[in-house]
């Protein structure tokens, strides 16, 4: 339809009396506006590219340096130390220029070189400053004088009004830890999980590795760190994600939920229209680099590399390894509804479709009563099953003709939208509404999300939304950043009419969405069904429980002078022990984005200090004072481990890269093989909240997100994602497998709630004790006064 609509813009007929030429003014106007918009976009991108390229300087500073050098020509002192004269005598074609022209040109060339030198000097100075991480190890609220001075220098060298990618060239590289430090920390992390005999065996393996292979592997790793921008990230993406041949649905993809308590409109098409429009606004700012970079303490910049691939990105299956395909700006969206795929154009006349226009397009799809083509209904199940069958089917059945054109439309789209036909969302009157919502976002029906897209936006009939995200291209905070912007824009900037429709006039002249056409043979339909059955078996095995902890939140924990993350992690350790009666290797994700191209590092939360605290909590003979002392010690240890991971001194990424080097060299290391095969029976992650501070949740307490989650990592373990929402709510997303007789997500959620309350009771007893002592002291003082 879109192609036909454009074709009638230019028509001609040959007649005996000449050529009859007909032009559609509307289409010609749209073509003109599209061209103007494209050139404006290129100009803005070029301008912002220049601004980011010379940051922390500015183009105007070049003019200042040039004027200063020109002025120096009229003073007796030569600040160039003779270099301007040397340039003047060595200019090409100097005989064709006057002396004055040569002098001016030489001064401009010298000033430009000096300006570039100053830019690099500022960048390397800033990079040296950002390589200091002592500030992160200081107690919260107790900043030393040296850190205050360092922070002032960082602010001074950071320039003004940075763009998204302004700091990229100034970010330090991720350092390679020493082998001795990594092995020491590793042995310390497993000491409480192994008996004496097992620990002695592991210690022997570690020492043998350190004395034999470690130095050789470390040299290659240091060489890679010098040559590349990050010695971990590319291997992490390739070997952890892209080379995996098992299904990515549940096993890799993650989800993010909508607002917990608020639904801005219950009209499905209207909500989807506003959200898609907000995403297009976000993408436009992203392509221009106009988002502000995230900065810790409001000053220390974070790497923005991962944000480049939010849109127009698809994971392409391969026989041995997948690839991540990222394209430039694409002007369409692919929508799935009741087994049909539709292509929707996102631009008209050189601008984005307005929310009301998008609502119209989505209503047309919802009202379409056509039936799916043979094999079309469950086609997306190929992306949910094993990767090798999908790669073979793609090469055999989707590499030419109409199938290829339709698949290209999906893989090149800005993102994928599913108009779901089953209502979801949190309902306090239904005990398992959050569980059902989570499972719908994570796997749906196994054939109604395109799991290979960077993200699938999911719209429900009751107006709720959500996201299913592919994990290889980026980590959860990147998608969370975009989602916070979209929700704030949807609710507080775009808004809805009283009837719940998108604001704005309805443009009925838009071309209808285009059905994608497929010719899927019986053999391919069989492959689709096989992938579907495999994926459904995985989905049916996922035991999910969403748990809202409302007894207290960040506010009370901070009053206890404790990190909220450490508090929750120790509660998880207590809950894990009460649930399983044993301790296990625990994974907590931390970010390393203070370094160039940084992604994540592992915090091993089950420390010896945490084990000692949990045992004290389960020991009826231990006093609350003893338990509290052990808790504080364990919390301090966890905070230190988290900080080490953030600053490049973690354990697992270093050992992972040493293992990859050993495989490249064909060397077998029993120690590294043992380490990399250890199961993470408890995998945890904190979902970021309020990264952008676009909504004041103190003023609008109902406008809070529900966070997101992921599937279980181990067959007999738990996956736990949590989000600290405001001052009085913590949301837990707990996953496990029904097939494991030892796990139960609902039971584990109850253990978490009890553990949180038990730890809080320790602080309450301490406060009560202090109050009693204060009362006694006051009573004694009053007694003395009476005497």
């Amino acid at each position: 339809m879109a192609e036909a609509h454009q074709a009638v813009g230019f028509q001609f007929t040959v007649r005996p009396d000449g050529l009859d030429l007909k032009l559609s003014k509307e289409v010609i106007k749209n073509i003109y506006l599209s061209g103007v918009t494209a050139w404006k976009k290129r100009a803005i991108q070029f301008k912002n590219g220049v601004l980011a390229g010379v940051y922390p300087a500015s183009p105007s500073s070049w003019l200042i340096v040039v004027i200063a050098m020109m002025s120096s020509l009229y003073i007796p002192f030569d600040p160039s130390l003779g270099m301007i004269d040397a340039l003047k005598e060595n200019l090409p074609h100097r005989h064709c220029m006057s002396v004055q022209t040569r002098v001016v040109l030489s001064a401009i060339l010298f000033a430009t070189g000096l300006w570039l030198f100053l830019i690099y000097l500022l960048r390397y100075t800033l990079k040296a400053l950002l390589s200091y991480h002592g500030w992160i190890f200081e107690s919260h609220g107790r900043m030393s004088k040296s850190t205050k001075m360092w922070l002032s220098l960082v602010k001074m060298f950071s320039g003004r009004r940075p763009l998204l990618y302004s700091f990229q060239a100034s970010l330090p590289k991720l350092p390679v830890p020493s082998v001795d430090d990594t092995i020491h920390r590793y042995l310390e992390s497993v000491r409480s999980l192994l008996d004496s005999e097992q620990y002695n065996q592991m210690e022997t393996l570690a020492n043998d590795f350190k004395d034999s292979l470690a130095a050789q592997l470390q040299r290659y790793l240091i060489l890679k760190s010098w040559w590349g921008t990050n010695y971990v990230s590319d291997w992490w993406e390739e070997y952890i994600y892209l080379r995996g041949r098992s299904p990515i649905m549940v096993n890799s993809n993650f989800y993010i939920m909508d607002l917990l308590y608020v639904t801005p409109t219950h009209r499905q098409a209207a909500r989807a229209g506003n959200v898609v429009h907000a995403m297009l606004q976000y993408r436009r700012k992203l392509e221009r680099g106009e988002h502000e970079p995230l900065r810790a303490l409001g000053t220390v910049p974070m790497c923005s590399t991962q944000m480049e691939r939010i849109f127009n990105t698809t994971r392409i299956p391969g026989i041995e390894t997948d690839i991540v395909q990222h394209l430039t700006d694409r002007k369409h969206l692919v929508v799935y509804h009741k087994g049909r795929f539709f292509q929707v154009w996102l631009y008209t006349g050189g601008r984005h479709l307005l929310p009301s226009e998008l609502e119209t397009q989505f209503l047309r799809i919802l009202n379409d009563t056509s039936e799916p083509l043979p094999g079309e209904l469950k086609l997306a199940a190929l992306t949910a099953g094993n990767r090798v069958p999908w790669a073979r089917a793609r090469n055999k059945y989707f590499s030419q003709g109409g199938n290829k054109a339709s698949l290209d439309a999906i893989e090149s789209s800005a993102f994928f939208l599913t108009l779901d036909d089953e209502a979801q969302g949190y309902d306090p009157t239904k005990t398992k509404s959050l569980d059902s919502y989570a499972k719908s976002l994570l796997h749906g029906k196994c054939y109604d999300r395109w799991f290979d897209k960077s993200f699938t936006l999911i719209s429900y009939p009751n107006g709720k939304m959500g996201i299913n995200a592919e994990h290889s291209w980026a980590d959860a905070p990147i998608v969370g950043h975009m989602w916070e912007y979209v929700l704030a824009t949807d609710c507080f900037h775009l808004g809805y009419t009283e009837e719940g429709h998108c604001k704005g006039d309805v443009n009925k002249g838009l071309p209808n969405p285009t059905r994608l056409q497929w010719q899927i043979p019986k053999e391919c339909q069989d492959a689709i069904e096989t992938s579907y059955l495999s994926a459904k078996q995985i989905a049916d095995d996922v035991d999910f429980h969403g748990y809202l902890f409302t007894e207290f939140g960040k506010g009370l924990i901070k009053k206890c002078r404790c990190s909220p993350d450490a508090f929750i992690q120790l509660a998880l350790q207590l809950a894990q022990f009460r649930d399983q009666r044993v301790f296990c290797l625990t994974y907590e994700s931390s970010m390393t984005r203070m370094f160039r191209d940084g992604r994540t590092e592992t915090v091993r939360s089950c420390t010896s200090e945490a084990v000692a605290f949990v045992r004290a909590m389960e020991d009826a003979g231990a006093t609350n004072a003893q338990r509290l002392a052990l808790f504080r010690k364990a919390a301090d240890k966890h905070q230190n481990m988290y900080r080490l991971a953030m600053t490049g001194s973690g354990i697992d990424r270093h050992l992972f890269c040493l293992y990859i080097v050993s495989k490249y060299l064909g060397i077998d290391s029993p120690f590294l093989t043992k380490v990399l095969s250890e199961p993470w029976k408890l995998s945890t992650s904190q979902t970021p909240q309020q990264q952008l501070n676009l909504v004041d949740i103190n003023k609008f307490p109902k406008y809070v997100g529900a966070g997101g989650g992921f599937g279980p990592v181990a067959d007999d373990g738990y996956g736990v994602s949590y989000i600290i929402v405001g001052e009085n709510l913590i949301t837990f997303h707990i996953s496990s497998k029904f097939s494991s007789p030892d796990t139960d997500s609902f039971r584990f959620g109850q253990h978490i709630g009890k553990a949180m309350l038990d730890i809080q009771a320790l602080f309450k007893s301490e406060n009560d004790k202090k109050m009693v002592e204060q009362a006694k002291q006051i009573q004694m003082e009053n007694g003395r006064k009476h005497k």
Side-chain angles (χ1 to χ4, degrees):
M1 286 296 295
E3 292 83 354
H5 182 74
Q6 294 169 2
V8 298
F10 177 78
Q11 293 180 342
F12 68 92
T13 304
V14 179
R15 293 183 176 181
D17 57 345
L19 190 68
D20 182 18
L21 184 66
K22 293 182 180 179
L23 294 175
S24 169
K25 292 182 180 180
E26 182 65 25
V27 177
I28 295 300
K29 178 184 176 182
N30 284 339
I31 292 172
Y32 167 75
L33 291 175
S34 295
V36 170
T37 302
W39 281 106
K40 282 183 178 178
K41 178 180 175 181
R42 291 191 186 99
I44 293 171
Q45 286 177 331
F46 176 78
K47 181 197 76 172
N48 290 339
V50 170
L51 291 175
V54 302
Y55 199 84
S58 64
S60 59
S61 63
W62 173 82
L63 188 60
I64 294 172
V65 176
V66 169
I67 292 172
M69 286 300 103
M70 297 294 291
S71 302
S72 70
L73 298 175
Y74 302 99
I75 61 174
F77 174 70
D78 181 10
S80 72
L81 302 178
M83 293 186 68
I84 292 178
D85 289 335
L87 285 170
K88 181 182 68 175
E89 297 302 323
N90 291 280
L91 284 174
H93 309 294
R94 61 183 179 278
H95 302 297
C96 303
M97 295 181 282
S98 65
V99 175
Q100 188 64 26
T101 302
R102 281 189 286 156
V103 169
V104 171
L105 186 57
S106 299
I108 292 174
L109 288 173
F110 176 78
T112 302
L114 178 62
W115 180 66
L116 292 173
F117 170 76
L118 291 174
I119 289 173
Y120 280 99
L121 181 63
L122 287 171
R123 282 182 179 175
Y124 279 100
T125 302
L126 183 57
K127 182 180 286 189
L129 289 169
L130 295 177
S131 297
Y132 167 75
H133 298 113
W135 60 274
I136 205 171
F137 292 93
E138 294 182 350
S139 300
H140 184 69
R142 299 180 182 178
M143 191 178 292
S144 64
K145 291 182 179 179
S146 59
T147 296
K148 290 179 180 178
M149 184 180 297
W150 167 82
L151 207 56
S152 300
L153 288 171
V154 171
K155 289 179 181 179
M156 183 174 68
F157 283 98
S158 291
R160 299 171 59 193
R161 294 190 296 273
L163 297 171
L164 180 61
Y165 302 114
S166 293
F167 291 112
Q168 290 301 101
S170 300
L171 292 174
K173 291 185 177 183
L174 183 69
V176 182
S178 73
V179 173
D180 288 349
D181 287 346
T182 297
I183 290 179
H184 172 74
R185 292 187 185 117
Y186 169 77
L187 291 174
E188 184 182 19
S189 73
V190 298
R191 183 65 188 92
S192 58
L193 303 175
L194 306 175
D195 58 35
S196 297
E197 183 179 352
Q198 291 172 328
Y199 179 78
N200 290 335
Q201 290 175 353
M202 182 57 76
E203 191 175 35
T204 300
L205 288 176
N207 290 330
D208 288 346
F209 169 73
K210 187 165 57 173
D211 295 337
S212 57
L213 302 175
Q216 179 187 3
L217 302 181
Q218 180 80 343
R219 281 194 295 270
Y220 282 104
L221 211 53
I222 291 173
L223 179 63
K224 184 176 187 288
S225 74
W226 290 346
W227 180 253
T229 54
N230 190 294
Y231 81 93
V232 175
S233 294
D234 57 340
W235 283 352
W236 185 254
E237 179 178 308
E238 180 179 358
Y239 292 102
I240 296 300
Y241 295 113
L242 298 181
R243 292 214 177 191
R245 302 293 82 199
S246 59
I248 60 175
M249 183 200 76
V250 175
N251 297 325
S252 178
N253 286 28
F254 59 92
Y255 68 85
I256 299 180
M257 288 182 171
D258 198 357
L259 297 171
L260 186 61
Y261 301 117
V262 175
T263 306
T265 178
H266 293 285
R267 296 184 182 273
Q268 183 176 17
R271 185 76 197 286
N274 260 12
V275 168
V276 170
H277 184 78
M279 285 182 167
L280 294 178
Q281 289 183 333
Y282 184 90
R283 184 176 74 163
R284 180 171 57 193
K285 293 184 69 175
L286 183 65
E287 289 172 339
R288 296 174 177 179
E290 292 176 346
H291 290 291
E292 288 189 15
L294 286 180
R295 293 195 270 185
L297 301 179
T299 304
V300 183
M302 302 291 170
C303 181
S304 302
T305 300
Q306 294 181 57
M307 298 179 72
E308 295 174 355
R309 299 190 288 181
I310 294 180
F311 298 95
N312 319 315
T313 298
T314 305
R315 177 171 174 162
I316 306 296
I319 301 299
E320 294 183 358
T321 183
D322 296 351
I323 61 170
V324 176
Q325 173 185 276
H326 174 65
L327 304 171
T328 54
D329 181 21
R330 286 299 185 266
K331 300 183 183 298
H332 70 277
L333 176 70
V334 172
V335 181
Y336 179 93
H337 177 59
K338 291 187 175 180
R340 294 88 42 82
F341 293 82
F342 297 84
Q343 187 174 21
V344 178
W345 295 98
L346 300 172
Y347 291 78
T348 180
R351 63 168 176 81
H352 293 147
L353 291 187
L354 300 175
S356 57
E357 294 171 330
L358 288 166
E359 180 184 1
T360 299
Q361 297 294 66
F362 298 147
L363 270 175
R364 288 172 174 174
I365 293 173
L366 290 170
N367 294 332
D368 190 303
T369 58
S370 60
E371 292 295 320
L373 297 169
E376 185 180 16
L377 174 66
K378 298 180 181 178
L379 174 62
L382 288 170
T383 68
N386 289 298
R387 304 305 292 172
V388 174
W390 170 211
R392 288 176 177 157
R394 186 177 185 276
N395 293 335
K396 187 173 182 180
Y397 304 111
F398 301 92
S399 59
Q400 58 185 353
N403 285 354
K404 183 180 188 303
S406 295
L407 182 62
D408 285 346
I410 294 174
E411 293 179 342
S412 65
S413 61
F415 53 92
F416 193 83
L417 169 64
T418 294
L419 296 175
D420 214 310
D421 53 1
E422 295 180 4
Q424 296 289 349
Y426 172 63
D427 184 348
T429 63
K430 298 178 180 179
T431 56
K432 294 189 176 181
S433 62
L434 211 56
D435 308 358
S436 174
Y437 186 20
K439 283 178 68 67
S440 175
L441 290 174
L442 186 64
H443 54 69
K445 298 174 183 175
C446 303
Y447 57 78
D448 52 356
R449 288 92 174 89
W450 199 269
F451 294 101
D452 284 354
K453 288 299 291 182
S454 54
F455 68 90
T456 295
L457 178 66
I458 302 157
S459 171
Y460 295 103
N462 58 347
K464 280 295 183 184
M465 304 289 291
I467 283 179
N468 178 286
E470 201 275 314
H471 209 330
S472 66
W473 62 275
D475 300 308
I478 305 302
V479 186
H481 183 283
M482 181 264 294
W483 194 231
E484 283 186 26
Y485 175 94
V486 167
L487 292 180
T489 303
D490 170 32
C491 298
F492 295 96
H493 297 283
L494 299 177
Y496 301 88
T497 65
E498 292 183 359
E499 295 79 18
H501 293 287
C502 295
K503 294 179 179 179
D505 297 331
V506 177
N507 182 359
K508 296 182 179 180
L510 291 172
N512 287 328
T514 309
R515 273 287 301 271
L516 297 185
Q517 298 301 310
W518 309 93
Q519 290 183 340
I520 303 176
K522 180 65 170 61
E523 296 82 1
C524 184
Q525 293 180 37
D526 292 341
I528 292 171
E529 187 65 19
T530 300
S531 290
Y532 166 69
L533 293 175
S534 172
K536 189 175 186 301
Q537 186 176 7
I538 294 172
D540 290 344
D541 196 24
V542 175
D543 177 16
F544 241 103
H545 178 55
Y547 175 54
L548 301 180
F549 182 82
T550 57
E551 300 295 330
F552 57 86
K554 179 173 61 177
L556 187 143
I557 295 174
K558 284 189 172 181
K559 288 181 181 178
C560 300
R561 292 177 291 110
C562 176
S563 157
D565 184 70
F567 188 103
I568 294 171
Q569 283 291 328
L570 288 171
L572 290 174
Q573 290 300 316
L574 181 55
Q576 160 70 23
F577 185 78
R578 287 173 173 174
D579 188 82
Q580 300 291 312
R581 305 313 301 175
V582 293
F583 296 99
C584 69
L585 198 61
T586 305
Y587 181 107
E588 182 189 4
S589 178
S590 77
M591 65 89 184
T592 56
R593 288 173 59 206
M594 289 190 295
F595 301 97
R596 182 74 179 269
D597 294 346
R599 289 198 60 163
T600 60
E601 177 59 274
T602 304
V603 181
R604 293 174 167 242
S605 302
C606 188
T607 61
S608 298
E609 291 79 2
V611 169
F613 161 70
V614 171
R615 292 197 185 281
M617 289 294 291
E618 297 299 280
D619 181 4
T623 64
N624 282 343
Q626 292 171 330
R627 292 166 177 165
L628 189 58
L630 289 171
F631 173 86
R632 293 196 182 280
K633 187 177 180 181
D636 289 343
K637 177 67 174 181
H638 180 269
Q639 277 296 94
N640 187 60
M641 294 282 288
Y642 199 96
R643 291 161 176 165
L644 286 171
M646 287 181 63
T647 53
S649 297
I651 299 167
D652 291 275
R653 299 301 179 269
H654 186 203
L655 293 177
F656 162 76
C657 288
L658 290 172
Y659 177 77
I660 297 300
V661 174
S662 73
K663 289 302 177 184
Y664 274 126
L665 297 176
I667 299 173
D668 183 44
S669 168
F671 170 69
L672 293 176
T673 302
K674 180 83 171 170
V675 170
L676 270 294
S677 63
E678 292 172 334
W680 301 96
K681 290 194 175 184
L682 180 58
S683 181
T684 70
S685 178
Q686 181 180 170
T687 304
Q689 168 79 345
Q690 293 295 99
Q691 296 184 82
L692 303 180
N693 294 317
L694 294 176
V695 179
D696 185 352
I697 57 177
N698 294 320
K699 188 176 180 181
F700 302 100
K702 295 294 184 182
Y703 286 84
V704 292
F710 52 88
V713 174
D715 291 338
D716 56 349
Y718 291 105
V720 181
S721 174
Y722 52 93
I723 176 172
I724 303 170
V725 187
E727 300 296 318
N728 300 300
L729 173 65
I730 302 172
T731 303
F732 292 91
H733 300 254
I734 307 162
S735 65
S736 61
K737 292 189 176 183
F738 286 116
S739 58
S740 171
D742 300 324
T743 58
D744 183 300
S745 294
F746 177 81
R747 183 184 72 206
F748 194 70
Q750 300 307 299
H751 283 308
I752 292 174
K754 180 68 165 55
M756 296 279 288
L757 292 173
D758 287 348
I759 295 174
Q760 189 263 341
L762 298 179
F763 290 95
K764 188 174 183 300
S765 65
E766 182 189 46
N767 291 334
D768 291 344
K769 185 177 179 181
K770 287 181 179 178
M771 290 176 64
V772 169
E773 290 176 352
Q774 289 174 356
K776 287 182 179 178
Q777 188 174 2
I778 292 171
Q779 189 177 11
M780 290 174 63
E781 290 176 356
N782 290 337
R784 291 193 193 99
K785 289 178 182 179
H786 180 71
K787 288 180 180 180

